[in-house]
Amino acid sequence: MSPTAPDTAPRGHIPGTRRPHLPTPAAPHLALRHALRRAAPTLAAYLAVRLTGLAFLAVWAHRRHHGVWPMLATQWDSRWYLGIADHGYTHTLGLAYDHNNLAFFPLYPLLVKAVAVVTPGTRASTGLALAWLASLFAAWGVFAVGDRLHGRRTGVLLTVLWAAFPVGLVQWMGYTESLFTAFAAWTLYAVLTERWLCAATASVLAGLTRPTGIAVAAAVTVTALLALRTRFSPRVLTAALTAPLGWCAYVGWVGLRLGRWDGYFAVQRMWHNELDGGAETLRWLRKLFGQQSRPELFLVLVSVTIVVSLLLFGLSVADRQPVPLLVFSAVLLLIVVASGGVYFPRARFLLPGFPLLLPIAGYLARASTRSRVLLLTTAVAGSAYCGAYMLLVWPSAP
């Protein structure tokens, strides 16, 4: 087999998927051990990338007399999640903008509260540990999707690219991005391998983790409905109906708590998060690239991330990625780009969109070793710098 050719097997019902030639283990625990052994080099590479970013942050923070742990575990959104774990949710909409904690979905703070009861340390330490652990499961899931579609090399490269995302440092903060990406990746893998009930379960958990969980649910439901057109299956129908329930449950619960059917959306309006068709995004792009002579570096980074993500989605469509990946990426991009809310966190909001990196991973898999090393080294160094800049120089939330 050539160095860049993926292992392949007959296609399944999901277009574009390929199954590696692997021995079939005799028991589930052997299957899990085999899968973990196959992913182990990828997880080591992921840790190497993220530890490089953490080390760079630590050196820069030391020179500026800042502590690393508080920045990772207790600031910005982390503080909101810890507040929910400590005191629960508010009962009223209130009048103050950007101050209603019902905007934050419940699974992560509930996990922090539950795990902190049986582990030593503070809830902040628990939250950070959960984020780190979730990042490893996310990296494993990203690899599994890439390996499934195009072979082991592409899976490794896809994971390294995700680790080296410009704002990849968020993966190791007390935020929900790592947990959400883990659910999203394993949901997509379950759909690609036609494990419909597993896909529905992971989708429900994703919907309880972040507002963009609706993108995961859409990927499951749309793919399931397409599969039902050719062959009826109770499991597929159950997955189609169940996938959005996590997101719907929280949105409905907020409505009941506030005593109004649009309660969750009223909360989002209090955070200035309304869909405007992309008008606010275009305004920021014109302002940064057409009106300001010296735009803020972090905002330029956010803008470039948005534009490149849109271009990569076009390449993903041209590459005919499987339907669930395209639906997930499309809905995620639509939510981020069409939002009229705050602009500066939008690169972070796109962090779970790892399928958008598949065209780059595919190119690197075919590239020469020299080109591959050069591009990956540049990406890792750039991610380390951008992550440290995001926390030490940029004055607002990541």
Side-chain angles (χ1 to χ4, degrees):
M1 185 171 61
S2 66
T4 59
D7 298 321
T8 62
R11 294 175 184 263
H13 293 290
I14 307 298
T17 64
R18 303 186 177 195
R19 185 184 301 277
H21 288 305
L22 298 175
T24 303
H29 74 278
L30 294 178
L32 178 63
R33 187 167 63 183
H34 180 88
L36 182 57
R37 185 166 58 246
R38 184 173 178 84
T42 306
L43 297 180
Y46 172 79
L47 286 172
V49 175
R50 291 282 22 105
L51 287 171
T52 299
L54 185 62
F56 188 86
L57 171 66
V59 172
W60 194 349
H62 176 73
R63 293 182 176 180
R64 294 174 66 97
H65 306 289
H66 286 289
V68 171
W69 183 88
M71 290 188 293
L72 298 179
T74 64
Q75 293 186 1
W76 305 114
D77 284 14
S78 301
R79 186 166 61 248
W80 283 100
Y81 290 118
L82 293 174
I84 294 169
D86 288 338
H87 308 294
Y89 284 103
T90 184
H91 290 268
T92 61
L93 182 61
L95 299 175
Y97 283 95
D98 304 340
H99 278 82
N100 194 306
N101 65 3
L102 288 167
F104 297 88
F105 275 52
L107 185 58
Y108 176 69
L110 288 177
L111 286 175
V112 171
K113 184 175 183 178
V115 175
V117 172
V118 295
T119 55
T122 64
R123 283 178 174 168
S125 299
T126 300
L128 191 58
L130 285 173
W132 287 29
L133 182 61
S135 76
L136 290 174
F137 279 99
W140 189 0
V142 171
F143 165 76
V145 171
D147 185 26
R148 169 77 185 184
L149 293 176
H150 301 295
R152 191 176 191 180
R153 173 177 290 186
T154 301
V156 173
L157 291 169
L158 180 64
T159 309
V160 171
L161 288 170
W162 180 71
F165 203 80
V167 293
L169 183 60
V170 173
Q171 297 165 14
W172 278 15
M173 295 177 65
Y175 278 42
T176 57
E177 271 70 21
S178 289
L179 184 64
F180 178 72
T181 305
F183 289 137
W186 286 109
T187 297
L188 294 174
Y189 180 78
V191 174
L192 293 174
T193 55
E194 299 183 61
R195 294 175 171 90
W196 292 105
L197 298 185
C198 291
T201 302
S203 175
V204 169
L205 294 173
L208 290 169
T209 305
R210 287 194 60 79
T212 45
I214 196 64
V216 181
V220 177
T221 298
V222 170
T223 309
L225 292 176
L226 290 175
L228 287 171
R229 294 174 59 188
T230 58
R231 178 175 59 89
F232 178 78
S233 165
R235 290 194 173 197
V236 178
L237 178 60
T238 300
L241 298 175
T242 304
L245 291 185
W247 188 89
C248 292
Y250 182 68
V251 171
W253 179 82
V254 173
L256 290 173
R257 192 171 183 85
L258 296 180
R260 49 187 295 179
W261 70 269
D262 66 338
Y264 174 76
F265 303 101
V267 170
Q268 289 296 329
R269 287 193 292 272
M270 296 299 290
W271 282 85
H272 308 280
N273 287 331
E274 296 181 271
L275 295 179
D276 65 357
E280 182 72 3
T281 302
L282 290 174
R283 187 183 73 81
W284 272 102
L285 291 174
R286 286 197 300 266
K287 178 180 178 180
L288 291 170
F289 297 119
Q291 300 174 8
Q292 294 185 353
S293 58
R294 298 182 63 183
E296 162 60 46
L297 176 61
F298 185 71
L299 295 178
V300 172
L301 170 67
V302 172
S303 302
V304 170
T305 300
I306 292 173
V307 172
V308 171
S309 295
L310 291 170
L311 294 175
L312 289 175
F313 180 72
L315 291 176
S316 300
V317 174
D319 288 345
R320 297 183 179 180
Q321 280 186 14
V323 169
L325 273 64
L326 290 176
V327 172
F328 171 66
S329 298
V331 177
L332 182 67
L333 277 169
L334 178 64
I335 293 171
V336 174
V337 174
S339 171
V342 289
Y343 187 75
F344 48 82
R346 298 193 191 192
R348 169 168 64 89
F349 295 164
L350 288 170
L351 182 59
F354 70 92
L356 295 169
L357 300 171
L358 267 171
I360 304 177
Y363 166 77
L364 290 176
R366 300 185 298 271
S368 65
T369 301
R370 180 179 178 182
S371 298
R372 190 158 53 242
V373 170
L374 178 61
L375 289 173
L376 289 178
T377 301
T378 302
V380 172
S383 176
Y385 178 82
C386 291
Y389 185 95
M390 175 179 68
L391 291 187
L392 295 171
V393 180
W394 169 245
S396 192

